């Protein structure tokens, strides 16, 4: 009987060590940091650990291999989600803008009715000491469920990523009512002619901020 308990404890220790190591390596040690892939994967990992605790027929090496396989699949799905825009939208989701320039975007409410609840939004605002929708210039529901808000008196505009790791983000350009030619012209004015050299291009209110693959920051304060 004592041997059985020691065997169970050993399996628990191995399971905890592998799962916690994965969460720490990926930086997802809080619920808010996890994607839907992580949440589903964690349920599967919990099922694997719980189902094998009292199974004496499965060798310990097979148990470890099964855990590592599950973790590897989670890492693979998360990696693909970050590199493939269409897959990211389906697995991680995209932020939902609900107020822009002081106007409610009703179409976004309709298209995402299953994800948007006005009472939940009001609660999230109250947690930021905002007790009314009055004077809100911009509001957006992030993929974590948090609500980002900019008040009218703050006179700020949300920044937008236009290029990430050499890839143009078409949806962001559409929101700014710009096109690829405009973007390339802006990059060209900063002597950046090859998209593959761009690590990040961010539109910051009235100018473009570019970070190239060598870590150098290029900024333009020219008006749009």
């Amino acid at each position: 009987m004592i041997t059985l308990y020691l065997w169970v404890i050993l399996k628990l220790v191995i399971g905890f060590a592998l799962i916690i190591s994965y969460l720490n390596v990926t930086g997802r040690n809080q619920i808010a940091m996890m994607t839907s892939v992580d949440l589903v994967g964690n349920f599967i990992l919990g099922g694997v650990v719980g189902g094998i605790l009292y199974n004496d027929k499965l060798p310990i090496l097979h148990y470890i291999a099964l855990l590592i396989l599950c973790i590897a699949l989670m890492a693979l799905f998360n990696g693909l989600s970050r590199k493939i825009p269409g897959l990211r939208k389906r697995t991680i989701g995209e932020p939902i803008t609900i107020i822009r320039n002081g106007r409610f975007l009703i179409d976004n409410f309709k298209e995402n009715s299953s994800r948007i609840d006005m009472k939940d939004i009001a609660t999230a605002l109250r947690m930021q000491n905002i007790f009314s929708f009055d004077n809100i210039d911009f509001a957006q529901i992030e993929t974590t469920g948090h609500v980002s808000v900019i008040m009218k008196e703050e006179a700020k505009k949300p920044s937008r990523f236009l290029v990430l790791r050499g890839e143009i983000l078409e949806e962001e350009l559409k929101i700014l009512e710009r096109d690829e030619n405009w973007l390339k012209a802006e990059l060209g004015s900063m002597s950046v002619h090859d998209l593959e050299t761009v690590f990040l291009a961010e539109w910051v209110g009235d100018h473009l901020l570019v970070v190239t693959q060598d870590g150098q920051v290029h900024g333009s304060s020219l008006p749009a």
Side-chain angles (χ1 to χ4, degrees):
M1 183 63 68
I2 295 177
T3 303
L4 174 62
Y5 285 128
L6 290 176
W7 195 241
V8 169
I9 290 172
L10 176 61
K11 290 180 179 179
L12 276 173
V13 170
I14 293 173
F16 271 106
L18 287 174
I19 295 172
I20 291 174
S21 297
Y22 167 76
L23 294 177
N24 286 332
V25 168
T26 58
R28 292 181 177 83
N29 45 24
Q30 295 182 23
I31 293 295
M33 299 176 180
M34 294 184 182
T35 66
S36 56
V37 174
D38 292 315
L39 293 175
V40 172
N42 289 340
F43 284 126
I44 295 174
L45 286 174
V48 170
V49 174
I52 296 178
L53 281 181
Y54 302 104
N55 186 347
D56 296 330
K57 297 181 180 179
L58 187 70
I60 191 70
L61 291 179
H62 290 184
Y63 167 60
I64 295 173
L66 185 57
L67 283 177
I68 292 175
L69 177 61
C70 291
I71 290 172
L73 285 175
M74 289 170 62
L76 175 63
F77 277 120
N78 274 318
L80 291 176
S81 297
R82 278 162 175 72
K83 293 184 178 180
I84 304 175
L87 185 60
R88 175 186 175 88
K89 189 172 183 178
R90 289 170 176 77
T91 58
I92 299 178
E94 294 288 340
I96 304 171
T97 303
I98 56 176
I99 301 175
R100 185 185 294 128
N101 298 325
R103 297 185 61 180
F104 279 74
L105 304 182
I106 303 301
D107 287 342
N108 285 357
F109 279 88
K110 293 178 179 178
E111 291 174 6
N112 301 277
S113 57
S114 62
R115 292 181 57 190
I116 298 178
D117 184 280
M118 289 302 295
K119 292 184 178 179
D120 290 341
I121 294 173
T123 299
L125 293 177
R126 286 194 294 272
M127 292 175 69
Q128 301 181 53
N129 292 322
I130 302 172
F131 296 91
S132 170
F133 286 99
D134 190 24
N135 289 324
I136 293 180
D137 183 68
F138 176 88
Q140 178 170 279
I141 301 175
E142 307 295 348
T143 55
T144 60
H146 295 105
V147 180
S148 300
V149 180
I150 297 176
M151 306 302 289
K152 291 180 180 178
E153 59 268 18
E154 292 178 2
K156 295 179 182 177
K157 294 294 180 183
S159 64
R160 296 203 172 271
F161 291 169
L162 303 184
V163 181
L164 186 60
R165 293 186 173 90
E167 182 179 353
I168 296 176
L169 306 181
E170 298 287 350
E171 291 299 321
E172 299 295 310
L173 274 175
K174 289 179 182 178
I175 291 173
L176 290 179
E177 298 180 349
R178 309 286 181 168
D179 57 23
E180 187 174 329
N181 291 331
W182 169 84
L183 177 59
K184 289 182 176 180
E186 287 289 315
L187 292 172
S189 69
M190 302 164 69
S191 299
V192 178
H193 302 287
D194 187 356
L195 277 174
E196 293 185 359
T197 65
V198 178
F199 175 76
L200 172 68
E202 180 183 23
W203 183 252
V204 190
D206 61 353
H207 66 279
L208 192 65
L209 181 71
V210 178
V211 180
T212 47
Q213 294 286 358
D214 58 4
Q216 187 174 353
V217 178
H218 308 259
S220 170
S221 59
L222 295 175

